[in-house]
Amino acid sequence: MADPKGFLTTPRQEWPRRPAAERIRDWQEVHVPGALLPIIGTQADRCMDCGVPFCHEACPLGNLIPEWNDLVSRADWRAASERLHATNNFPEFTGRLCPAPCEAGCVLAINQPAVTIKNVECAIADKAWEEGFTPPRPPDRLSGRTVAVVGSGPTGLAAAQQLTRAGHTVAVYERDDRIGGLMRYGIPEFKMEKRHLERRIEQMRAEGTKFRASTAVGRDVPAGELRARYDAVVIATGATAWRELEVPGRELAGVHQAMEYLPLANRVCEGDMACSPLSAAGQHVVIVGGGDTGADCLGTAVREGAASVTQLDIYAQPGTARDEAAEPWPTYPRLYRLSAAHEEARDLRSAPAADADARLFAASTLRFTGDSEGHVRSLRLVGVDAGRRALPGTERSLPADLVLLALGFSGPDRKDGPVEGLGLELEPRGTIARDRGFATNVPGVFAAGDAARGQSLIVWAIAEGRAVAAAVDRHLSGGSTRLPAPVGPYDRPMTA
């Protein structure tokens, strides 16, 4: 540790955000450009270089956090980049999109604000690109073996990069017209500008990875044909089967899934259209679901000029301090957190009916009502207790011209894709079944990421991509691999 007293003398300081009134007028990232590097060295000094760094355990990638914190505090950016990329293929993605379970596991977080690990990670990644520390790394020689990766989200890209660098010829198949999966069309531009994604894709192309966009396995390429063509296949399609809300009025026009809404806004940012056909402009918007996807819808609707936006969360409003009895350190606690989107809604008073920022907590949807033309006009809700039981006298209605369902995902699509085409076995909860080596019931076919694990975090997605790459490399080489496997298929986050 560069400064043994850094955690005592330096308070936590995060990357500042641009004023809400300014940033909602564009789709650029919410943070102040150039404001991170001046503060990040002293923030890295707060790392205590613990004898047992629980941040390692909290992060499924096993990031060498104390090591690169120390290097950043000494301004050795090249070495910091080497340590960071040793465990993470895409730190500029996680540095922007991950909720940072590593910070919940920081030893300093026992009784002080944690080290700003996520900000340090992002600073290293951006500095590495700026200084040219991340050149393509094509293999010295090819193995002669071929691998198809189905899905180009963080799991698929991580698996493809690892396998390409190991010398295998890898092709990534993506059903959408651009590579990137959820990062392309699910994550709004204001959370991560797509230039970061494009830069990595170009790096991978230079290393030898092939990309096949607009190619749906099962529709454009029969799944069986794909399996016959390649020595191994990795299924990394993500959890795209969204959960439904079975209440009266669900059939009304104007009630849509979040993943019908968000991709259209991203396509506007890509220049594909001038305006989204589901634009929230001038609409009263209600988002059902209190998670990150709901917050993404919130920030998008605010930027589109919604008349009002309210987000419903079925859980009670959490506190601002960890409940040591229920969620002891170093587990990731459920706390009241203010995302950039919630901050914008609060500052701009976008949700006059909300309890806090844009959210109504402990609220359950009863039904939707519409007008004579069959379009949704209001949402009826009721307050609930911790057991999700309705509380008498709490029913109320919200105006709703556009309702977005952000209730999570249950697993991969079952029809017209690799699951059905290859005859993959599923777990009872709808995810792809696999053994301890990430192998499915079909020889030579492996599964990783949300398609097999279930909906999870981007760090788990990348960790699974790296781990399944090691399993595939071992399969192709006859039993050995030099690729790292940070997680197993049955590993789960720390819980009490």
Side-chain angles (χ1 to χ4, degrees):
M1 55 194 301
D3 184 354
K5 296 183 179 180
F7 68 98
L8 295 173
T9 60
T10 304
R12 177 182 169 102
Q13 186 178 1
E14 298 186 39
W15 192 356
R17 295 167 179 165
R18 295 186 288 142
E22 171 192 317
R23 65 185 191 244
I24 65 158
R25 295 197 296 266
D26 59 51
W27 293 88
Q28 297 168 15
E29 290 179 10
V30 300
H31 294 102
V32 177
L36 183 56
L37 283 180
I39 65 173
I40 209 65
T42 54
Q43 289 302 302
D45 272 342
R46 298 183 70 238
C47 179
M48 300 185 293
D49 192 18
C50 307
V52 181
F54 279 81
C55 55
H56 284 195
E57 183 65 24
C59 176
L61 285 165
N63 282 332
L64 306 174
I65 294 165
E67 294 185 31
W68 41 257
N69 273 332
D70 177 66
L71 291 164
V72 167
S73 71
R74 302 174 190 276
D76 191 345
W77 293 100
R78 181 183 291 276
S81 174
E82 291 172 357
R83 296 292 197 286
L84 179 56
H85 283 90
T87 58
N88 188 350
N89 296 70
F90 314 122
E92 66 272 33
F93 302 168
T94 52
R96 287 172 167 82
L97 304 178
C98 180
C102 54
E103 294 187 16
C106 174
V107 174
L108 189 57
I110 294 175
N111 61 357
Q112 290 192 45
V115 175
T116 55
I117 298 170
K118 178 177 173 178
N119 283 180
V120 177
E121 177 182 42
C122 194
I124 297 170
D126 289 352
K127 189 72 170 179
W129 282 106
E130 179 185 325
E131 298 293 337
F133 299 154
T134 54
R137 290 170 46 199
D140 294 331
R141 58 183 179 181
L142 296 178
S143 67
R145 311 305 294 272
T146 59
V147 183
V149 176
V150 185
S152 68
T155 297
L157 292 181
Q161 185 166 64
Q162 292 292 96
L163 288 166
T164 296
R165 289 175 173 180
H168 307 301
T169 300
V170 181
V172 177
Y173 287 79
E174 170 56 55
R175 64 183 179 180
D176 281 325
D177 58 341
R178 293 182 178 91
I179 300 298
L182 185 68
M183 294 185 295
R184 172 70 69 180
Y185 289 127
I187 300 297
E189 189 84 358
F190 60 82
K191 286 183 70 174
M192 186 183 79
E193 294 174 12
K194 300 305 179 283
R195 60 188 176 88
H196 302 293
L197 178 59
E198 294 290 356
R199 195 165 50 187
R200 281 294 179 187
I201 293 169
E202 289 307 310
Q203 180 197 51
M204 292 178 66
R205 281 199 176 99
E207 292 172 347
T209 302
K210 313 298 182 184
F211 293 100
R212 307 282 187 263
S214 300
T215 307
V217 173
R219 182 192 66 197
D220 301 309
V221 178
E225 178 183 319
L226 190 77
R227 174 64 193 95
R229 189 187 305 174
Y230 292 88
D231 295 312
V233 175
V234 175
I235 307 299
T237 54
T240 52
W242 51 57
R243 293 192 177 96
E244 263 298 344
L245 182 63
E246 302 294 343
V247 298
R250 171 61 182 91
E251 75 285 355
L252 291 169
V255 182
H256 297 276
Q257 287 284 346
M259 291 309 297
E260 294 175 310
Y261 171 73
L262 290 172
L264 291 170
N266 275 300
R267 288 190 176 278
V268 172
C269 293
E270 293 278 5
D272 294 346
M273 57 185 73
C275 179
S276 166
L278 294 183
S279 174
Q283 307 288 305
H284 293 289
V285 181
V286 180
I287 301 160
V288 183
D292 288 343
T293 301
D296 292 345
C297 291
L298 172 64
T300 299
V302 168
R303 281 163 177 76
E304 288 180 336
S308 70
V309 194
T310 307
Q311 183 180 8
L312 306 186
D313 191 332
I314 200 167
Y315 295 102
Q317 181 173 342
T320 57
R322 181 194 293 271
D323 183 342
E324 292 293 349
E327 298 173 313
W329 175 88
T331 61
Y332 188 77
R334 186 171 187 267
L335 300 175
Y336 176 75
R337 296 180 172 90
L338 196 66
S339 73
H342 292 118
E343 183 182 63
E344 291 156 7
R346 180 201 64 188
D347 292 355
L348 302 174
R349 300 182 180 180
S350 300
D355 295 330
D357 49 73
R359 287 170 279 191
L360 273 174
F361 290 96
S364 178
T365 304
L366 294 175
R367 62 184 178 274
F368 307 117
T369 57
D371 58 21
S372 59
E373 297 180 355
H375 196 287
V376 68
R377 291 302 176 212
S378 69
L379 178 150
R380 189 73 174 172
L381 62 88
V382 65
V384 294
D385 61 17
R388 300 188 181 183
R389 295 178 291 266
L391 298 174
T394 61
E395 285 194 26
R396 58 188 294 197
S397 292
L398 294 177
D401 306 311
L402 175 63
V403 176
L404 302 173
L405 305 180
L407 300 170
F409 306 88
S410 60
D413 291 332
R414 279 71 154 173
K415 299 291 185 180
D416 302 324
V419 171
E420 183 179 62
L422 292 171
L424 299 178
E425 293 181 357
L426 299 177
E427 299 286 357
R429 62 195 182 112
T431 55
I432 299 173
R434 54 187 180 172
D435 64 17
R436 293 189 178 277
F438 293 88
T440 69
N441 60 299
V442 179
V445 178
F446 299 78
D450 289 4
R453 171 173 292 275
Q455 185 179 352
S456 190
L457 305 178
I458 186 171
V459 278
W460 280 95
I462 296 173
E464 286 236 347
R466 291 170 67 86
V468 76
V472 172
D473 187 47
R474 187 180 298 109
H475 167 74
L476 295 177
S477 64
S480 64
T481 182
R482 299 179 64 182
L483 296 178
V487 295
Y490 306 128
D491 289 341
R492 291 296 182 268
M494 289 187 294
T495 57

